[in-house]
Amino acid sequence: MRLALVIPNYNHSDAMSATLERLAPLGLPVFVINDGSNDHTRHVLQQLAQQYTWVTLLHHPYNRGKGAAVMTGLRAAYSAGFTHGLQVDADGQHNLDDIPAMIALARANPEAVISGLPQYDASIPKGRLYGRYITHFWVWVETLSFDIQDSMCGFRIYPLAATEALFQEECLGERMDFDIEVLVRLFWRRTPVLHLPTRVIYPEGGISHFQGLQDNLRISWLHTRLFFGMLKRLPRLLSHRPEHHWASIGERGSYWGIRLLAASYRLGGHWLCRAIMYPVIGYFFLTGSAARQASQQFLNKVLAQDPKHPQLQPKVHWYHSFKHFIQFGNAALDRIDAWCQRSGMEQVDFPERQSLLDRLNSGKGAILLASHLGNPELCRAISVNQRKVTVNVLVMTANAANFNRVLKQLNPDSDLNLIHINELDPSTSVMLADKVAAGELVVIAADRTPAGNQSRITMAPFFDDEAAFPQGPFILAGLLDCPVYLMFCLKEEGRYRVFVEPFADSLKLPRKERASGIEQAVKRYASRLEHYARRQPMQWFNFFDFWHQHKTADDRSQDRHTHE
């Protein structure tokens, strides 16, 4: 990979010297585009180009706009033989310390656009922040995907062959609409878009060239054009749905979704949340063919085992799946109620709490094996005695830190802590052992297999078929050598009921018995999960092919061929 930096500049004379000084240790060539700046800025840029031999200065005779400047820089880099271009703003907003991480991600994914995912501080103008939310929504509609989490960040690495092909065939906006349009149109051309969280600030006294009325009109007109462009490409966009592991499809866009839902909750409570949520659920239902099929597959398996199930009579139709989606949205609202402490213990039945209380009163913690059935996020219901109990929830998605931040905004006193893990390694075990020893609870869902580690699974009977379950949670429980409980939280007759069952005093076993012991534990867990899922099938929130999640795309293709 040959990488060059591209910096558009329009009258940013003060910050430019400091930016180049910080970029010098990277040893990368830089294309600076003077976009018709005033005489003072032009002279400053010429002096810097003479000072730094690795800087190439290009000029626009008049101000054409940020987008035009970026295109000039990217095309110049491509003509010079570079394979990738890193766009950086000249005003000091971007955290240049994140460049090595972006480069590493680009090396691992050379065909993808690597875009910064802004993490703002209090310096961002509120009008700009709320405007971004509107653009996020329209980009999701225009791409029929949540893959583009932020389309307005000007801190990104482009694969130059793909961008040059786009520039030759399309006429893109040349001002503040460029960043949005280029990302959407590259996505339409099946260029992957990956994101890397990065801190973004608005420097005090900084110069912004965003023209409120004109640029907002340009962006509005852009979304109009892109929306109709999406309609023209609708069959291809819907058909191009590559099969993913659940970890890459189940949580896409969920951070921004929960941010929007949380903001709506604070502003207008349930009525505003529902006004926003139900159209979004309808959109998901119409465009999410894989999720619809997974819903119907699961509900049909429940009905096959219980032909008289009252929730699925007389047979599974499309409206049962739609109701299934609606239940998922309602659970999200109930979750926010719990986080904001607007749902108290009087709304939660917890008949088996005494066994857990006895354990907590001893000053030691425990593991709770949960699932994506019902609403296990109502973990605050566990804090049933006089002292607070810290609940640590292990999640397999990278948004844990962001969710924690949203949680604290909703409820500063929250004792629910989301911990992101990629896999259960020794360092994770040590960290969790300390938490259990301190009397804290560790909650981990045991119904989803981890991506990239398909060898550590156990096939267990589940609704008269074999499904893959992860061994990791049970191995972890054995390493921690502490009591293990099962926890399910289901909504019945308008109230939540928490079911806590003692599962094992310890899953620590002698080496010779470990493999068979884990297999037996997984199958016991699957049996109890089936019991509760049959009780409330509409609260099963695994919207993917649960029985074939462990198979490769070739395996699934072979299965389809065999059935045909």
Side-chain angles (χ1 to χ4, degrees), residues 426-438:
S427 62
T428 303
S429 301
V430 171
M431 173 189 66
L432 296 177
D434 291 340
K435 293 184 179 298
V436 170

Side-chain angles (χ1 to χ4, degrees), residues 122 209 347 417 454-455 521 561:
H209 297 302
Q347 297 172 270
N417 180 37
Q454 299 299 316
S455 60
H561 178 74

Side-chain angles (χ1 to χ4, degrees), residues 48 87 108 139 162 178 199 220 263 329 341 384 467 488 490:
L48 290 172
Q87 174 187 345
V139 167
F178 169 80
R199 183 175 57 88
S220 297
Q341 294 186 340
V384 292
F488 302 94
L490 304 178

Side-chain angles (χ1 to χ4, degrees), residues 212-230:
L213 178 60
Q214 296 94 321
D215 283 323
N216 279 319
L217 287 175
R218 288 189 188 98
I219 291 173
S220 297
W221 173 236
L222 168 67
H223 286 311
T224 301
R225 291 187 287 112
L226 292 179
F227 176 76
F228 285 102
M230 177 273 292

Side-chain angles (χ1 to χ4, degrees), residues 413-445:
D413 297 324
S414 172
D415 287 296
L416 182 62
N417 180 37
L418 302 181
I419 301 174
H420 169 236
I421 58 172
N422 290 313
E423 58 181 344
L424 298 173
D425 54 24
S427 62
T428 303
S429 301
V430 171
M431 173 189 66
L432 296 177
D434 291 340
K435 293 184 179 298
V436 170
E440 299 179 10
L441 291 173
V442 174
V443 181
I444 181 168

Side-chain angles (χ1 to χ4, degrees), residues 187-494:
F187 181 86
W188 283 351
R189 290 167 169 256
R190 301 186 179 181
T191 300
V193 179
L194 303 178
H195 293 271
L196 186 74
T198 183
R199 183 175 57 88
V200 176
I201 63 171
Y202 281 73
E204 186 176 351
I207 301 173
S208 173
H209 297 302
F210 190 90
Q211 301 172 334
L213 178 60
Q214 296 94 321
D215 283 323
N216 279 319
L217 287 175
R218 288 189 188 98
I219 291 173
S220 297
W221 173 236
L222 168 67
H223 286 311
T224 301
R225 291 187 287 112
L226 292 179
F227 176 76
F228 285 102
M230 177 273 292
L231 293 179
K232 184 172 68 174
R233 296 168 174 82
L234 188 60
R236 183 159 57 87
L237 289 172
L238 290 176
S239 64
H240 181 55
R241 297 275 181 180
E243 296 188 71
H244 299 283
H245 188 271
W246 70 264
S248 63
I249 63 175
E251 310 294 342
R252 288 181 301 168
S254 55
Y255 167 58
W256 288 109
I258 203 68
R259 281 285 301 265
L260 179 60
L261 203 59
S264 304
Y265 191 92
R266 288 196 299 267
L267 289 173
H270 271 218
W271 71 268
L272 183 56
C273 282
R274 293 184 190 279
I276 293 174
M277 182 182 70
Y278 287 148
V280 172
I281 290 175
Y283 162 76
F284 270 117
F285 183 76
L286 291 174
T287 62
S289 59
R292 285 199 315 272
Q293 292 170 7
S295 168
Q296 292 184 352
Q297 177 196 40
F298 172 76
L299 297 178
N300 276 314
K301 284 184 176 291
V302 175
L303 189 61
Q305 196 172 84
D306 186 359
K308 296 184 178 181
H309 199 290
Q311 298 180 26
L312 303 174
Q313 293 299 313
K315 64 178 182 179
V316 175
H317 290 281
W318 66 268
Y319 54 80
H320 287 105
S321 288
F322 184 64
K323 183 179 179 181
H324 196 182
F325 278 57
I326 292 292
Q327 287 269 35
F328 177 74
N330 289 335
L333 289 183
D334 290 340
R335 191 176 313 158
I336 293 180
D337 273 337
W339 288 343
C340 294
Q341 294 186 340
R342 295 190 184 182
S343 57
M345 282 302 302
E346 66 277 2
Q347 297 172 270
V348 180
D349 296 325
F350 197 167
E352 295 88 3
R353 63 182 179 179
Q354 191 58 49
S355 61
L356 192 57
L357 273 175
D358 292 342
R359 173 68 185 176
L360 296 176
N361 287 333
S362 70
K364 296 183 179 179
I367 285 183
L368 300 182
L369 295 179
S371 66
H372 293 81
L373 171 71
N375 215 340
E377 286 82 356
L378 293 175
C379 293
R380 59 179 296 276
I382 296 167
S383 303
V384 292
N385 56 343
Q386 296 301 314
R387 64 183 180 85
K388 287 187 175 181
V389 176
T390 299
V391 180
N392 304 282
V393 181
L394 271 61
V395 296
M396 295 285 187
T397 59
N399 278 325
N402 294 325
F403 278 122
N404 277 332
R405 192 165 67 251
V406 175
L407 263 179
K408 291 300 181 183
Q409 291 173 0
L410 287 169
N411 178 16
D413 297 324
S414 172
D415 287 296
L416 182 62
N417 180 37
L418 302 181
I419 301 174
H420 169 236
I421 58 172
N422 290 313
E423 58 181 344
L424 298 173
D425 54 24
S427 62
T428 303
S429 301
V430 171
M431 173 189 66
L432 296 177
D434 291 340
K435 293 184 179 298
V436 170
E440 299 179 10
L441 291 173
V442 174
V443 181
I444 181 168
D447 59 336
R448 291 185 179 180
T449 59
N453 193 7
Q454 299 299 316
S455 60
R456 288 196 169 187
I457 62 171
T458 292
M459 302 302 296
F462 190 65
F463 283 98
D464 298 326
D465 202 348
E466 291 282 308
F469 287 85
Q471 295 180 2
F474 303 90
I475 295 174
L476 174 65
L479 292 173
L480 297 184
D481 190 18
C482 65
V484 182
Y485 297 83
L486 301 184
M487 184 188 75
F488 302 94
C489 186
L490 304 178
K491 194 168 189 177
E492 298 180 333
E493 298 180 354

Side-chain angles (χ1 to χ4, degrees), residues 15-26 48 51-52 54-55 96:
M16 197 63 200
S17 177
T19 298
L20 292 177
E21 186 176 343
R22 291 191 61 196
L23 292 174
L26 296 174
L48 290 172
Q51 177 182 350
Y52 297 109
W54 37 271
V55 172
L96 303 182

